[in-house]
Amino acid sequence: MVFDTQTLTRVIERCFDLSMSGALPQETRVAYLTQGKRLRELLMRLLGARFDAGSAEFKQATDAMHETNHALEQAAADLETLTKAVGRVAELAGYLDKALGLAGRVIT
């Protein structure tokens, strides 16, 4: 049995995408980059490997990969939602600036 390298490739791509996100702290970006590189090296070794699909290790690795892929999908969606919320805050500030410009008198 061969390993699901397509899903592993998506995990690696997500790690690299998150490693370049300016919305994340530098330490987190470095961690994603480091793990993405590690997974890429493992992928290269897995491409030619054959496994006993019934083994506990194979099942554990496959399950962990799918769970991780799902978690990274969710993290990316959460990050996008967070980024959109920051944009809405900026938009609100712009509207408030305009409203204040039209106000007759502002008490400070």
Coordinates of all heavy atoms in Angstrom, one line a residue:
M1 N 0.8 -1.2 0.0 CA 0.0 0.0 0.0 C 0.9 1.2 0.0 O 1.9 1.3 0.7 CB -0.9 0.0 1.3 CG -1.8 1.1 1.4 SD -3.4 0.5 0.8 CE -4.4 1.9 0.6
V2 N 0.5 2.2 -0.8 CA 1.3 3.5 -0.8 C 0.6 4.5 0.1 O -0.6 4.4 0.3 CB 1.4 4.0 -2.3 CG1 2.2 3.1 -3.1 CG2 0.1 4.3 -2.9
F3 N 1.4 5.4 0.5 CA 0.9 6.5 1.4 C 0.2 7.5 0.6 O 0.5 7.8 -0.6 CB 2.1 7.1 2.2 CG 1.7 7.9 3.4 CD1 1.3 7.2 4.5 CD2 1.7 9.2 3.4 CE1 0.9 7.9 5.7 CE2 1.4 9.9 4.5 CZ 1.0 9.3 5.7
D4 N -0.8 8.2 1.2 CA -1.6 9.2 0.6 C -0.7 10.5 0.4 O -0.8 11.4 1.2 CB -2.8 9.5 1.4 CG -3.7 10.6 0.8 OD1 -3.4 11.1 -0.3 OD2 -4.8 10.9 1.4
T5 N 0.1 10.6 -0.6 CA 1.0 11.7 -0.8 C 0.3 13.0 -1.2 O 0.8 14.0 -1.0 CB 2.1 11.3 -1.8 OG1 1.5 10.9 -3.0 CG2 3.0 10.2 -1.2
Q6 N -0.9 12.8 -1.8 CA -1.6 14.0 -2.3 C -2.0 14.9 -1.1 O -1.9 16.1 -1.0 CB -2.8 13.7 -3.1 CG -2.4 13.1 -4.5 CD -3.6 12.8 -5.3 OE1 -4.7 12.6 -4.9 NE2 -3.3 12.6 -6.6
T7 N -2.6 14.2 -0.1 CA -3.0 14.9 1.1 C -1.8 15.5 1.9 O -1.8 16.6 2.3 CB -3.8 14.0 2.1 OG1 -5.0 13.5 1.4 CG2 -4.2 14.7 3.3
L8 N -0.7 14.7 1.9 CA 0.5 15.2 2.6 C 1.1 16.4 1.8 O 1.5 17.4 2.5 CB 1.6 14.1 2.6 CG 2.9 14.5 3.3 CD1 2.6 15.0 4.7 CD2 3.8 13.3 3.3
T9 N 1.0 16.4 0.5 CA 1.4 17.6 -0.3 C 0.6 18.8 0.1 O 1.1 19.9 0.2 CB 1.3 17.3 -1.8 OG1 2.2 16.2 -2.1 CG2 1.7 18.5 -2.6
R10 N -0.7 18.6 0.3 CA -1.6 19.8 0.7 C -1.2 20.3 2.1 O -1.2 21.5 2.3 CB -3.1 19.4 0.7 CG -3.6 19.3 -0.8 CD -5.2 19.2 -0.8 NE -5.7 18.0 -0.1 CZ -5.8 16.8 -0.7 NH1 -5.4 16.7 -2.0 NH2 -6.3 15.8 -0.1
V11 N -0.9 19.4 3.0 CA -0.4 19.8 4.3 C 0.8 20.6 4.2 O 1.0 21.7 4.8 CB -0.2 18.6 5.2 CG1 0.5 18.9 6.5 CG2 -1.5 17.9 5.5
I12 N 1.8 20.1 3.4 CA 3.0 20.9 3.2 C 2.8 22.2 2.6 O 3.3 23.2 3.1 CB 4.0 20.0 2.3 CG1 4.4 18.7 3.1 CG2 5.2 20.8 1.9 CD1 5.0 17.7 2.1
E13 N 1.9 22.3 1.6 CA 1.6 23.6 1.0 C 1.0 24.6 2.0 O 1.4 25.7 2.0 CB 0.7 23.4 -0.2 CG 1.4 22.7 -1.4 CD 0.4 22.3 -2.5 OE1 -0.9 22.4 -2.3 OE2 0.8 22.0 -3.6
R14 N 0.1 24.1 2.8 CA -0.5 24.9 3.8 C 0.5 25.4 4.8 O 0.5 26.5 5.3 CB -1.6 24.2 4.5 CG -2.9 24.1 3.7 CD -4.1 23.6 4.4 NE -5.2 23.6 3.5 CZ -5.6 22.5 2.8 NH1 -5.1 21.4 3.0 NH2 -6.7 22.6 2.0
C15 N 1.5 24.5 5.2 CA 2.5 24.9 6.1 C 3.3 26.1 5.5 O 3.6 27.1 6.2 CB 3.5 23.8 6.4 SG 2.8 22.6 7.6
F16 N 3.7 26.0 4.2 CA 4.5 27.0 3.6 C 3.6 28.3 3.4 O 4.2 29.4 3.6 CB 5.0 26.5 2.2 CG 6.1 25.5 2.3 CD1 6.2 24.5 1.4 CD2 7.0 25.5 3.4 CE1 7.3 23.6 1.5 CE2 8.0 24.6 3.5 CZ 8.2 23.6 2.5
D17 N 2.4 28.1 3.1 CA 1.5 29.3 3.0 C 1.4 30.1 4.3 O 1.6 31.3 4.4 CB 0.1 29.0 2.6 CG 0.0 28.6 1.1 OD1 0.9 28.8 0.3 OD2 -1.0 27.9 0.7
L18 N 1.2 29.3 5.4 CA 1.1 29.9 6.7 C 2.5 30.5 7.2 O 2.5 31.5 7.9 CB 0.6 28.9 7.8 CG -0.9 28.6 7.6 CD1 -1.2 27.3 8.4 CD2 -1.8 29.8 7.9
S19 N 3.6 29.9 6.7 CA 4.9 30.5 7.1 C 5.1 31.8 6.4 O 6.0 32.5 6.9 CB 6.0 29.5 6.6 OG 6.2 29.6 5.2
M20 N 4.4 32.2 5.4 CA 4.5 33.5 4.8 C 3.5 34.5 5.1 O 3.4 35.6 4.6 CB 4.6 33.3 3.3 CG 5.8 32.5 2.8 SD 5.8 32.3 1.0 CE 4.6 31.1 0.7
S21 N 2.6 34.1 6.1 CA 1.5 35.0 6.4 C 2.0 36.1 7.4 O 2.4 35.7 8.5 CB 0.4 34.2 7.1 OG -0.6 35.1 7.6
G22 N 1.9 37.3 7.0 CA 2.2 38.4 7.9 C 1.3 38.5 9.1 O 1.5 39.3 10.0
A23 N 0.1 37.8 9.1 CA -0.8 37.9 10.2 C -0.4 37.1 11.4 O -1.0 37.2 12.4 CB -2.2 37.4 9.7
L24 N 0.6 36.2 11.2 CA 1.1 35.4 12.2 C 2.4 35.9 12.8 O 3.2 36.6 12.1 CB 1.4 34.0 11.7 CG 0.2 33.2 11.2 CD1 0.6 31.9 10.6 CD2 -0.8 32.9 12.3
P25 N 2.6 35.7 14.1 CA 3.9 36.1 14.7 C 5.1 35.4 14.1 O 4.9 34.3 13.6 CB 3.7 35.6 16.2 CG 2.3 35.3 16.4 CD 1.7 35.0 15.1
Q26 N 6.2 36.1 14.1 CA 7.4 35.5 13.4 C 7.7 34.1 13.9 O 8.1 33.3 13.1 CB 8.6 36.5 13.7 CG 9.9 36.0 13.1 CD 10.0 36.0 11.6 OE1 9.2 36.6 10.9 NE2 10.8 35.2 11.1
E27 N 7.6 33.9 15.2 CA 8.0 32.6 15.8 C 7.1 31.5 15.2 O 7.5 30.4 14.9 CB 7.8 32.6 17.3 CG 8.1 31.3 18.0 CD 8.0 31.5 19.5 OE1 8.7 32.3 20.1 OE2 7.2 30.8 20.1
T28 N 5.8 31.8 15.0 CA 4.9 30.8 14.4 C 5.2 30.6 13.0 O 5.1 29.4 12.5 CB 3.4 31.3 14.6 OG1 3.2 31.6 16.0 CG2 2.4 30.3 14.1
R29 N 5.5 31.6 12.2 CA 5.9 31.5 10.8 C 7.1 30.6 10.6 O 7.1 29.7 9.8 CB 6.1 32.8 10.2 CG 4.8 33.6 10.0 CD 4.9 34.9 9.1 NE 6.1 35.7 9.3 CZ 6.1 36.8 10.0 NH1 5.1 37.3 10.6 NH2 7.3 37.5 10.1
V30 N 8.1 30.8 11.5 CA 9.3 30.0 11.5 C 9.0 28.5 11.8 O 9.5 27.6 11.1 CB 10.4 30.5 12.5 CG1 11.5 29.5 12.6 CG2 10.9 31.9 12.0
A31 N 8.1 28.3 12.7 CA 7.7 26.9 13.1 C 7.0 26.2 11.9 O 7.3 25.1 11.6 CB 6.8 26.9 14.3
Y32 N 6.1 27.0 11.2 CA 5.4 26.4 10.0 C 6.4 26.1 8.9 O 6.4 25.1 8.3 CB 4.3 27.3 9.5 CG 3.0 27.1 10.2 CD1 2.4 28.2 10.9 CD2 2.3 25.9 10.1 CE1 1.2 28.0 11.5 CE2 1.1 25.7 10.7 CZ 0.5 26.8 11.4 OH -0.7 26.6 12.1
L33 N 7.4 27.0 8.7 CA 8.4 26.8 7.7 C 9.3 25.6 8.0 O 9.5 24.7 7.1 CB 9.3 28.0 7.5 CG 10.4 27.9 6.5 CD1 9.8 27.7 5.1 CD2 11.2 29.2 6.5
T34 N 9.7 25.5 9.2 CA 10.5 24.3 9.7 C 9.8 23.0 9.5 O 10.3 22.0 8.9 CB 10.9 24.5 11.1 OG1 11.6 25.7 11.3 CG2 11.8 23.4 11.6
Q35 N 8.5 23.0 9.9 CA 7.8 21.7 9.8 C 7.4 21.4 8.3 O 7.4 20.2 7.9 CB 6.5 21.8 10.7 CG 6.8 21.8 12.2 CD 7.7 20.7 12.6 OE1 7.5 19.5 12.2 NE2 8.7 21.0 13.5
G36 N 7.2 22.4 7.6 CA 6.9 22.2 6.1 C 8.1 21.6 5.4 O 8.0 20.7 4.6
K37 N 9.3 22.1 5.8 CA 10.5 21.5 5.2 C 10.7 20.1 5.6 O 11.1 19.2 4.8 CB 11.7 22.4 5.6 CG 11.8 23.7 4.9 CD 13.0 24.5 5.3 CE 13.1 25.8 4.6 NZ 14.3 26.6 5.0
R38 N 10.5 19.8 6.9 CA 10.6 18.5 7.4 C 9.7 17.5 6.7 O 10.0 16.4 6.3 CB 10.4 18.5 8.9 CG 10.5 17.1 9.6 CD 10.4 17.2 11.1 NE 10.5 15.9 11.7 CZ 9.9 15.6 12.8 NH1 9.1 16.4 13.4 NH2 10.0 14.4 13.3
L39 N 8.4 17.9 6.6 CA 7.4 17.1 5.9 C 7.8 16.9 4.5 O 7.5 15.8 3.9 CB 6.0 17.7 6.1 CG 5.4 17.7 7.5 CD1 4.1 18.5 7.5 CD2 5.2 16.3 8.0
R40 N 8.3 17.9 3.8 CA 8.7 17.8 2.4 C 9.8 16.7 2.3 O 9.8 15.9 1.3 CB 9.2 19.1 1.9 CG 9.5 19.1 0.4 CD 9.9 20.4 -0.1 NE 11.1 20.9 0.6 CZ 11.5 22.2 0.6 NH1 10.8 23.1 -0.2 NH2 12.5 22.6 1.3
E41 N 10.8 16.7 3.2 CA 11.8 15.7 3.1 C 11.2 14.3 3.3 O 11.6 13.3 2.6 CB 12.8 16.0 4.2 CG 13.7 17.1 4.0 CD 14.7 17.4 5.1 OE1 14.9 16.5 6.0 OE2 15.1 18.6 5.2
L42 N 10.3 14.2 4.3 CA 9.6 12.9 4.5 C 8.8 12.4 3.3 O 8.8 11.3 2.9 CB 8.7 12.9 5.7 CG 9.5 13.1 7.1 CD1 8.5 13.4 8.2 CD2 10.2 11.8 7.4
L43 N 8.2 13.4 2.6 CA 7.4 13.1 1.4 C 8.3 12.5 0.4 O 7.9 11.5 -0.3 CB 6.7 14.4 0.9 CG 6.1 14.2 -0.5 CD1 4.9 13.3 -0.4 CD2 5.6 15.6 -1.0
M44 N 9.5 13.0 0.2 CA 10.4 12.5 -0.8 C 10.7 11.0 -0.5 O 10.8 10.2 -1.4 CB 11.7 13.4 -0.9 CG 11.4 14.8 -1.3 SD 10.4 15.0 -2.8 CE 11.5 14.3 -4.0
R45 N 10.9 10.7 0.7 CA 11.2 9.3 1.1 C 10.0 8.4 1.0 O 10.1 7.3 0.7 CB 11.7 9.3 2.5 CG 13.1 10.0 2.6 CD 13.7 10.1 4.0 NE 13.6 8.9 4.8 CZ 13.6 8.9 6.1 NH1 13.6 10.0 6.8 NH2 13.5 7.8 6.8
L46 N 8.8 9.0 1.2 CA 7.6 8.2 1.2 C 7.2 7.9 -0.3 O 6.4 6.9 -0.5 CB 6.4 9.0 1.8 CG 6.4 9.0 3.4 CD1 5.4 10.1 3.8 CD2 6.1 7.7 3.9
L47 N 7.6 8.6 -1.2 CA 7.2 8.4 -2.6 C 7.5 7.0 -3.1 O 6.7 6.5 -3.9 CB 7.8 9.5 -3.5 CG 7.2 10.9 -3.4 CD1 8.0 11.9 -4.2 CD2 5.7 10.9 -3.8
G48 N 8.6 6.5 -2.7 CA 8.9 5.1 -3.1 C 8.6 4.0 -2.2 O 9.0 2.9 -2.4
A49 N 8.0 4.3 -1.0 CA 7.8 3.3 0.0 C 6.5 2.6 -0.2 O 5.5 3.1 -0.7 CB 7.8 4.0 1.4
R50 N 6.5 1.4 0.3 CA 5.3 0.5 0.3 C 5.0 0.1 1.7 O 6.0 -0.2 2.5 CB 5.4 -0.7 -0.6 CG 5.7 -0.4 -2.0 CD 4.4 0.1 -2.7 NE 4.6 0.3 -4.1 CZ 4.8 1.5 -4.7 NH1 4.9 2.6 -3.9 NH2 4.9 1.7 -6.0
F51 N 3.8 0.1 2.1 CA 3.4 -0.2 3.5 C 2.4 -1.3 3.6 O 1.6 -1.6 2.7 CB 2.8 1.1 4.2 CG 3.7 2.2 4.2 CD1 3.8 3.2 3.2 CD2 4.6 2.4 5.3 CE1 4.6 4.2 3.3 CE2 5.5 3.4 5.4 CZ 5.5 4.4 4.3
D52 N 2.3 -1.9 4.8 CA 1.3 -2.9 5.1 C 0.1 -2.0 5.6 O 0.2 -1.4 6.7 CB 1.8 -3.8 6.2 CG 0.7 -4.7 6.7 OD1 -0.5 -4.7 6.2 OD2 0.9 -5.4 7.7
A53 N -0.9 -1.9 4.8 CA -2.1 -1.0 5.2 C -2.7 -1.4 6.5 O -3.4 -0.6 7.1 CB -3.1 -1.1 4.0
G54 N -2.5 -2.6 6.9 CA -3.2 -3.1 8.2 C -2.3 -2.7 9.4 O -2.8 -2.9 10.5
S55 N -1.1 -2.2 9.2 CA -0.3 -2.0 10.4 C -0.8 -0.8 11.2 O -1.4 0.2 10.6 CB 1.2 -1.7 10.0 OG 1.3 -0.5 9.3
A56 N -0.6 -0.8 12.5 CA -1.0 0.3 13.3 C -0.3 1.6 13.0 O -0.9 2.6 13.1 CB -0.8 -0.1 14.8
E57 N 1.0 1.5 12.7 CA 1.7 2.6 12.4 C 1.2 3.4 11.1 O 1.1 4.6 11.1 CB 3.2 2.3 12.2 CG 3.9 1.8 13.5 CD 3.7 0.3 13.8 OE1 3.0 -0.4 13.0 OE2 4.1 -0.1 14.8
F58 N 0.9 2.6 10.1 CA 0.4 3.2 8.9 C -1.0 3.9 9.1 O -1.2 5.0 8.7 CB 0.2 2.1 7.8 CG -0.3 2.6 6.5 CD1 0.6 3.2 5.6 CD2 -1.6 2.5 6.2 CE1 0.1 3.6 4.4 CE2 -2.1 3.0 4.9 CZ -1.2 3.6 4.0
K59 N -1.8 3.2 9.9 CA -3.1 3.8 10.2 C -3.0 5.0 11.0 O -3.6 6.0 10.8 CB -4.0 2.8 10.9 CG -5.4 3.3 11.2 CD -6.3 2.2 11.8 CE -7.7 2.7 12.2 NZ -8.1 4.0 11.9
Q60 N -2.1 5.0 12.0 CA -1.9 6.1 12.9 C -1.3 7.3 12.1 O -1.8 8.5 12.2 CB -0.9 5.8 14.0 CG -0.7 6.9 15.0 CD 0.3 6.4 16.1 OE1 1.1 5.6 15.9 NE2 0.1 7.0 17.3
A61 N -0.4 7.1 11.2 CA 0.2 8.2 10.4 C -0.9 8.7 9.4 O -1.0 9.9 9.3 CB 1.4 7.6 9.6
T62 N -1.7 7.9 8.8 CA -2.7 8.3 7.9 C -3.8 9.1 8.6 O -4.2 10.2 8.2 CB -3.4 7.1 7.2 OG1 -2.4 6.4 6.5 CG2 -4.5 7.5 6.3
D63 N -4.2 8.6 9.8 CA -5.2 9.4 10.6 C -4.7 10.7 11.0 O -5.4 11.7 10.9 CB -5.7 8.5 11.8 CG -6.5 7.3 11.4 OD1 -7.0 7.2 10.3 OD2 -6.7 6.5 12.3
A64 N -3.5 10.7 11.5 CA -2.9 12.0 11.9 C -2.7 13.0 10.8 O -3.0 14.2 11.0 CB -1.5 11.7 12.6
M65 N -2.4 12.5 9.6 CA -2.3 13.4 8.5 C -3.6 14.0 8.1 O -3.7 15.2 7.8 CB -1.7 12.6 7.3 CG -1.5 13.4 6.0 SD -1.0 12.5 4.6 CE -2.3 11.3 4.5
H66 N -4.7 13.2 8.1 CA -6.0 13.8 7.7 C -6.5 14.7 8.8 O -7.0 15.8 8.5 CB -7.0 12.6 7.5 CG -6.7 11.9 6.2 ND1 -7.0 12.4 5.0 CD2 -6.2 10.7 6.0 CE1 -6.6 11.6 4.0 NE2 -6.1 10.5 4.6
E67 N -6.2 14.4 10.1 CA -6.6 15.3 11.1 C -5.8 16.7 11.0 O -6.4 17.7 11.2 CB -6.4 14.7 12.5 CG -7.4 13.6 12.8 CD -6.9 12.7 14.0 OE1 -6.0 13.1 14.7 OE2 -7.6 11.7 14.2
T68 N -4.5 16.5 10.7 CA -3.7 17.7 10.6 C -4.1 18.6 9.4 O -4.2 19.8 9.5 CB -2.2 17.3 10.5 OG1 -1.9 16.6 11.6 CG2 -1.3 18.5 10.3
N69 N -4.4 17.9 8.3 CA -4.9 18.6 7.1 C -6.2 19.4 7.4 O -6.3 20.6 7.1 CB -5.1 17.6 6.0 CG -5.5 18.3 4.7 OD1 -4.8 19.3 4.3 ND2 -6.4 17.8 3.9
H70 N -7.1 18.8 8.1 CA -8.3 19.4 8.5 C -8.0 20.6 9.5 O -8.6 21.7 9.3 CB -9.3 18.5 9.2 CG -10.5 19.1 9.7 ND1 -11.5 19.5 8.8 CD2 -11.0 19.4 10.9 CE1 -12.5 20.1 9.5 NE2 -12.2 20.0 10.8
A71 N -7.1 20.4 10.4 CA -6.8 21.5 11.3 C -6.2 22.7 10.6 O -6.5 23.9 10.9 CB -5.9 21.0 12.4
L72 N -5.3 22.4 9.6 CA -4.7 23.5 8.9 C -5.7 24.2 8.0 O -5.6 25.4 7.8 CB -3.5 22.9 8.0 CG -2.3 22.6 8.8 CD1 -1.3 21.9 7.9 CD2 -1.7 23.8 9.5
E73 N -6.7 23.5 7.4 CA -7.7 24.1 6.6 C -8.5 25.1 7.5 O -8.8 26.2 7.1 CB -8.7 23.0 6.1 CG -8.2 22.3 4.9 CD -9.1 21.2 4.5 OE1 -10.1 20.9 5.2 OE2 -8.9 20.5 3.5
Q74 N -8.8 24.6 8.8 CA -9.6 25.4 9.7 C -8.7 26.7 10.1 O -9.3 27.8 10.2 CB -10.0 24.6 10.9 CG -10.9 25.4 11.9 CD -12.2 25.7 11.2 OE1 -12.9 24.9 10.6 NE2 -12.6 27.0 11.3
A75 N -7.4 26.5 10.4 CA -6.6 27.6 10.8 C -6.5 28.6 9.6 O -6.6 29.8 9.9 CB -5.2 27.1 11.1
A76 N -6.4 28.2 8.4 CA -6.3 29.1 7.3 C -7.7 29.9 7.2 O -7.7 31.1 6.9 CB -6.0 28.3 6.0
A77 N -8.8 29.2 7.4 CA -10.1 29.8 7.3 C -10.2 30.8 8.4 O -10.7 31.9 8.2 CB -11.2 28.8 7.3
D78 N -9.8 30.5 9.6 CA -9.8 31.4 10.8 C -9.0 32.6 10.5 O -9.4 33.7 10.9 CB -9.4 30.7 12.1 CG -10.4 29.6 12.5 OD1 -11.5 29.5 12.0 OD2 -10.0 28.8 13.4
L79 N -7.8 32.4 9.9 CA -6.9 33.5 9.6 C -7.5 34.4 8.6 O -7.5 35.7 8.8 CB -5.6 32.9 9.1 CG -4.5 33.9 8.9 CD1 -4.1 34.7 10.2 CD2 -3.2 33.2 8.4
E80 N -8.2 33.9 7.6 CA -8.9 34.7 6.6 C -10.0 35.5 7.3 O -10.2 36.7 7.0 CB -9.4 33.8 5.5 CG -10.1 34.6 4.4 CD -10.5 33.7 3.2 OE1 -10.0 32.7 3.0 OE2 -11.5 34.2 2.6
T81 N -10.8 34.8 8.2 CA -11.8 35.5 8.9 C -11.3 36.7 9.7 O -11.8 37.8 9.8 CB -12.6 34.5 9.8 OG1 -13.2 33.5 8.9 CG2 -13.7 35.2 10.5
L82 N -10.2 36.4 10.4 CA -9.5 37.4 11.3 C -9.1 38.6 10.4 O -9.3 39.8 10.8 CB -8.4 36.8 12.0 CG -7.6 37.7 13.0 CD1 -8.5 38.2 14.1 CD2 -6.4 37.0 13.5
T83 N -8.5 38.3 9.3 CA -8.0 39.3 8.4 C -9.1 40.2 7.9 O -9.0 41.4 7.8 CB -7.2 38.7 7.2 OG1 -6.1 38.0 7.8 CG2 -6.7 39.8 6.3
K84 N -10.2 39.5 7.5 CA -11.4 40.3 7.0 C -12.0 41.2 8.2 O -12.4 42.3 7.9 CB -12.5 39.3 6.5 CG -12.2 38.7 5.2 CD -13.3 37.8 4.8 CE -12.9 37.1 3.4 NZ -13.9 36.2 3.0
A85 N -12.0 40.7 9.4 CA -12.5 41.5 10.5 C -11.6 42.7 10.7 O -12.1 43.8 11.0 CB -12.5 40.6 11.8
V86 N -10.3 42.6 10.6 CA -9.4 43.7 10.7 C -9.7 44.8 9.6 O -9.8 46.0 9.9 CB -7.9 43.3 10.7 CG1 -7.0 44.5 10.5 CG2 -7.6 42.5 11.9
G87 N -10.0 44.3 8.4 CA -10.4 45.2 7.3 C -11.7 45.9 7.6 O -11.8 47.1 7.3
R88 N -12.7 45.2 8.3 CA -13.9 45.8 8.6 C -13.7 46.9 9.7 O -14.4 48.0 9.7 CB -14.9 44.8 9.1 CG -15.5 44.0 8.0 CD -16.7 43.2 8.4 NE -16.4 42.1 9.3 CZ -16.1 40.9 8.9 NH1 -16.1 40.6 7.6 NH2 -15.8 39.9 9.8
V89 N -12.8 46.7 10.6 CA -12.5 47.6 11.7 C -11.9 48.9 11.0 O -12.3 50.0 11.4 CB -11.5 47.1 12.7 CG1 -11.0 48.1 13.6 CG2 -12.2 46.0 13.5
A90 N -11.0 48.7 10.1 CA -10.4 49.8 9.4 C -11.5 50.6 8.6 O -11.5 51.9 8.6 CB -9.3 49.4 8.4
E91 N -12.4 49.9 8.0 CA -13.5 50.5 7.2 C -14.4 51.3 8.2 O -14.7 52.5 7.9 CB -14.3 49.5 6.5 CG -15.4 50.0 5.6 CD -16.2 48.9 4.9 OE1 -16.2 47.7 5.4 OE2 -16.7 49.2 3.9
L92 N -14.7 50.8 9.3 CA -15.5 51.5 10.3 C -14.8 52.8 10.8 O -15.4 53.8 10.9 CB -15.7 50.6 11.6 CG -16.3 51.3 12.8 CD1 -17.7 51.8 12.5 CD2 -16.4 50.3 13.9
A93 N -13.5 52.7 11.0 CA -12.7 53.9 11.4 C -12.8 55.0 10.4 O -13.0 56.2 10.7 CB -11.3 53.5 11.7
G94 N -12.8 54.6 9.1 CA -12.9 55.5 8.0 C -14.3 56.2 8.0 O -14.4 57.4 7.8
Y95 N -15.3 55.4 8.2 CA -16.7 56.0 8.3 C -16.8 56.9 9.4 O -17.4 58.0 9.3 CB -17.7 54.9 8.4 CG -17.9 54.0 7.1 CD1 -18.1 52.7 7.2 CD2 -17.7 54.6 5.9 CE1 -18.3 51.9 6.1 CE2 -17.8 53.8 4.7 CZ -18.1 52.4 4.9 OH -18.3 51.7 3.7
L96 N -16.2 56.6 10.6 CA -16.3 57.4 11.8 C -15.6 58.7 11.5 O -16.0 59.8 11.9 CB -15.8 56.7 13.0 CG -16.6 55.5 13.5 CD1 -15.9 54.8 14.6 CD2 -18.0 56.0 13.9
D97 N -14.4 58.7 10.9 CA -13.7 59.9 10.5 C -14.5 60.8 9.6 O -14.6 62.0 9.8 CB -12.4 59.6 9.8 CG -11.2 59.1 10.7 OD1 -11.3 59.5 11.9 OD2 -10.3 58.5 10.2
K98 N -15.2 60.2 8.7 CA -16.1 61.0 7.8 C -17.2 61.6 8.5 O -17.6 62.8 8.3 CB -16.6 60.2 6.6 CG -15.5 59.8 5.6 CD -16.1 58.9 4.5 CE -15.1 58.5 3.5 NZ -15.6 57.6 2.5
A99 N -17.8 60.9 9.4 CA -19.0 61.3 10.2 C -18.5 62.5 11.1 O -19.2 63.5 11.2 CB -19.6 60.2 11.1
L100 N -17.3 62.4 11.7 CA -16.8 63.4 12.6 C -16.5 64.7 11.8 O -16.7 65.8 12.2 CB -15.6 63.0 13.3 CG -15.8 62.1 14.5 CD1 -14.5 61.5 15.0 CD2 -16.6 62.8 15.6
G101 N -16.1 64.5 10.5 CA -15.9 65.7 9.7 C -17.1 66.5 9.3 O -17.1 67.6 9.1
L102 N -18.3 65.8 9.4 CA -19.5 66.4 9.1 C -20.2 67.0 10.4 O -21.1 67.7 10.3 CB -20.5 65.5 8.4 CG -20.0 65.0 7.1 CD1 -21.0 63.9 6.5 CD2 -19.9 66.1 6.1
A103 N -19.7 66.6 11.5 CA -20.3 67.0 12.8 C -20.0 68.5 12.9 O -19.0 69.1 12.6 CB -19.6 66.3 14.0
G104 N -21.0 69.2 13.5 CA -20.9 70.6 13.7 C -19.9 71.0 14.8 O -19.1 71.9 14.6
R105 N -19.9 70.3 15.8 CA -19.0 70.6 16.9 C -18.7 69.3 17.6 O -19.6 68.5 17.9 CB -19.6 71.6 17.8 CG -18.7 72.1 18.9 CD -19.3 73.2 19.7 NE -19.5 72.7 21.0 CZ -20.1 73.3 22.0 NH1 -20.7 74.5 21.7 NH2 -20.2 72.8 23.2
V106 N -17.4 69.1 17.9 CA -17.0 67.9 18.7 C -16.5 68.3 20.0 O -15.6 69.2 20.1 CB -15.9 67.1 17.9 CG1 -15.4 65.9 18.7 CG2 -16.4 66.6 16.5
I107 N -17.0 67.7 21.1 CA -16.5 68.1 22.4 C -15.4 67.2 22.7 O -15.5 65.9 22.6 CB -17.7 67.8 23.4 CG1 -18.9 68.7 23.1 CG2 -17.2 68.1 24.8 CD1 -20.1 68.5 23.9
T108 N -14.3 67.7 23.1 CA -13.1 67.0 23.5 C -12.7 67.1 24.9 O -13.1 68.0 25.6 CB -11.9 67.4 22.6 OG1 -11.7 68.7 22.7 CG2 -12.1 67.0 21.1

